[in-house]
Amino acid sequence: MCPHRPEVDHAILAGGSYRTVGRQFGVSHSAVARHVANCLQPSAIELAASGRAEAVDLPDKVQELLATAEDLLAAARDAGQGAGMLAAMREARASIELLAKLSGQLRSGDTTTVNVILSEHPEWQRIRAAMTEALAPFPDAAAAVGEALRAVEANRPRAAIPATSTPGAGQ
């Protein structure tokens, strides 16, 4: 993180042009533009544009909230109030998360999605083989289970299986 980040952010949010801010901190105006695009949260920019953020240093305010949450956590711990401790921990966690977002250490949307095709997984292949073997003596059941599994693997709804009476059932 840039050692002058708070001052740079403040200069940008105060309405300084990218060229002016760049000259003030010895960087190019394009570096300032990249900083705004990649590091400043859109909500902070919108708040500054509305004119309501001039006197508020958001990281300092969140630090105050975090300190209060930590004090409440200690008081709840001392009093043996589990619910109060949990509530204070949630608030502390939210404050820490917000500080990380404000500092650029955490961005919304930084996620990784891993898709796993279960029908190709070796464990699923073993389960399917075991089911097929177990259903071999019951051809109607094997056909119904096979159709259901093919529908699941094709990601489509399963056809309705007609209700049949089983000898000895319901008597």
Side-chain angles (χ1 to χ4, degrees):
M1 186 167 83
C2 171
H4 300 290
R5 169 134 188 214
E7 294 88 0
V8 171
D9 289 352
H10 182 39
I12 293 166
L13 294 174
S17 72
Y18 293 173
R19 288 191 192 285
T20 303
V21 173
R23 258 187 258 120
Q24 182 180 353
F25 293 97
V27 297
S28 69
H29 70 282
S30 59
V32 175
R34 281 191 305 276
H35 175 75
V36 169
N38 298 322
C39 299
L40 277 181
Q41 296 294 316
S43 57
I45 297 168
E46 291 168 12
L47 188 61
S50 73
R52 294 178 293 163
E54 290 176 14
V56 177
D57 183 355
L58 294 177
D60 284 350
K61 190 68 174 171
V62 176
Q63 282 285 11
E64 289 175 25
L65 291 171
L66 177 57
T68 301
E70 289 171 340
D71 291 344
L72 290 171
L73 175 59
R77 183 182 305 125
D78 293 344
Q81 298 174 339
M85 288 174 57
L86 287 173
M89 288 186 332
R90 276 192 297 271
E91 292 304 316
R93 181 204 43 82
S95 295
I96 291 168
E97 181 179 345
L98 182 53
L99 280 172
K101 286 179 180 179
L102 289 172
S103 70
Q105 294 174 334
L106 178 65
R107 291 192 201 152
S108 299
D110 281 356
T111 59
T112 302
T113 302
V114 176
N115 294 317
V116 177
I117 302 171
L118 292 178
S119 63
E120 296 175 8
H121 193 279
E123 188 66 20
W124 168 244
Q125 296 296 328
R126 284 183 351 95
I127 292 169
R128 185 177 177 130
M131 288 174 35
T132 302
E133 184 179 330
L135 289 169
F138 310 99
D140 290 342
V145 170
E147 173 57 32
L149 291 176
R150 282 189 292 281
V152 168
E153 289 173 353
N155 198 22
R156 59 182 163 80
R158 173 174 81 116
I161 299 173
T164 58
S165 62
T166 305
Q171 294 179 0

